[in-house]
Amino acid sequence: MTTILVTGGTGTLGRHVVTRLRAGGHDVRVLTRHTPPYDVDLREGDDGLDRALDGTGTVVHCATSARGGDEQAARNLIAAARRAGVEHLVYISIVGVDRVPYPYYRTKLAVERQFEDSGTGWTVLRATQFHDLLFRLFQSLSKSPVMPLPARVKDQPVDVREVAHRLAELAQGAPAGRADDMGGPEIRTLHSLARGYLDASGRRRAVVKIPLRGSAYEAFRAGGHLAPERAVGKRTFEEYLAERFAVTGGPR
């Protein structure tokens, strides 16, 4: 079995990838900024990165930061992986990064290109947004009596565990280049999804559709972030919500 390093291995996606890979019998190392023994800040690229990669055959890169620095982190990771003789680099990206001029999407696309140009075998999987992201968005917005949402925008949320299963599957195989995109089972308006959240949470809120401006909004409105031909996910948003609220006992 291969030794596999998972960056961001305690995060929303990474922890499920780690579980899947360990269930497959692999020696899995988890790299995060704060969890020993492989507590490394990829943006700094310190000596701990070389130690984490020593003897590793595959790297699954799930780490990302809302504070920025993902491109530098990828540069450091790829350089260290090449020094260690890593044979397979796997990256999770987002559907539409090449069609939607949103800053975070542009960063994801730039990292994709770094992997492609790495000189190492690589695989990139693009997925639509996770159920968890919409949950956190609606949870935050519903703290107010009115929930403002971008008008005429749809989404195609996918279950994070299904994406983790596919990503682990790709990591255990040969480098595949751009893998087929992975989307959730339903394409629905944000308004409809928000209503699903409110029904499941038992909250009563007014949902207001706000028209926005800008090239990124227009691209989202045109569906640049959707994958209707790759609606391969099985678990719906309502099924996710039912399980989530069954565990938590209600909204927080």
Side-chain angles (χ1 to χ4, degrees):
M1 292 295 177
T2 305
T3 297
I4 301 176
L5 177 72
V6 180
T7 73
T10 59
T12 300
L13 173 65
R15 59 193 176 91
H16 293 295
V17 174
V18 169
T19 298
R20 290 282 184 178
L21 292 172
R22 284 178 174 163
H26 298 280
D27 173 23
V28 182
R29 300 175 184 175
V30 176
L31 186 148
T32 70
R33 288 196 299 272
H34 306 296
T35 306
Y38 303 112
D39 45 333
V40 175
D41 188 333
L42 286 172
R43 296 168 300 180
E44 301 298 328
D46 57 34
D47 293 341
L49 182 54
D50 288 319
R51 179 171 57 84
L53 286 164
D54 184 33
T56 298
T58 298
V59 172
V60 183
H61 187 33
C62 299
T64 187
S65 174
R67 295 179 295 172
D70 281 7
E71 291 182 58
Q72 183 59 51
R75 278 192 287 271
N76 291 335
L77 177 63
I78 291 168
R82 293 183 66 178
R83 291 194 298 270
V86 170
E87 299 176 349
H88 190 187
L89 297 171
V90 183
Y91 182 55
I92 182 65
S93 189
I94 305 171
V95 170
V97 292
D98 54 346
R99 299 191 296 263
V100 179
Y102 183 66
Y104 183 64
Y105 280 33
R106 287 173 171 163
T107 296
K108 298 292 283 188
L109 181 60
V111 173
E112 280 189 15
R113 289 172 174 163
Q114 289 186 52
F115 272 61
E116 293 169 11
D117 296 337
S118 66
T120 300
W122 59 275
T123 300
V124 169
L125 173 65
R126 292 180 181 177
T128 53
Q129 303 294 339
F130 300 150
H131 294 312
D132 305 68
L133 178 65
L134 288 179
F135 179 89
R136 292 194 298 270
L137 171 65
F138 297 149
Q139 184 181 50
S140 176
L141 292 176
S142 66
K143 292 177 181 178
S144 168
V146 177
M147 293 177 64
L149 293 172
R152 298 172 61 190
V153 173
K154 296 180 179 180
D155 212 340
Q156 188 181 357
V158 66
D159 188 72
V160 68
R161 289 175 295 188
E162 294 176 350
V163 177
H165 176 79
R166 178 58 177 149
L167 199 63
E169 185 177 58
L170 290 168
Q172 294 173 89
R178 266 288 308 280
D180 290 337
D181 292 348
M182 186 170 184
E186 299 177 316
I187 295 176
R188 295 167 53 186
T189 64
L190 285 180
H191 180 273
S192 167
L193 291 162
R195 282 297 173 195
Y197 170 82
L198 291 171
D199 289 345
S201 65
R203 289 179 168 175
R204 297 174 62 87
R205 300 288 187 271
V207 180
V208 179
K209 304 173 188 178
I210 307 294
L212 303 176
R213 294 184 179 181
S215 57
Y217 171 65
E218 292 299 327
F220 280 123
R221 198 174 70 170
H225 60 305
L226 306 176
E229 72 290 351
R230 292 297 301 164
V232 296
K234 304 298 183 185
R235 195 161 178 247
T236 67
F237 190 53
E238 274 73 17
E239 289 170 337
Y240 162 84
L241 290 171
E243 181 180 347
R244 181 77 182 242
F245 285 123
V247 171
T248 63
R252 294 180 179 178

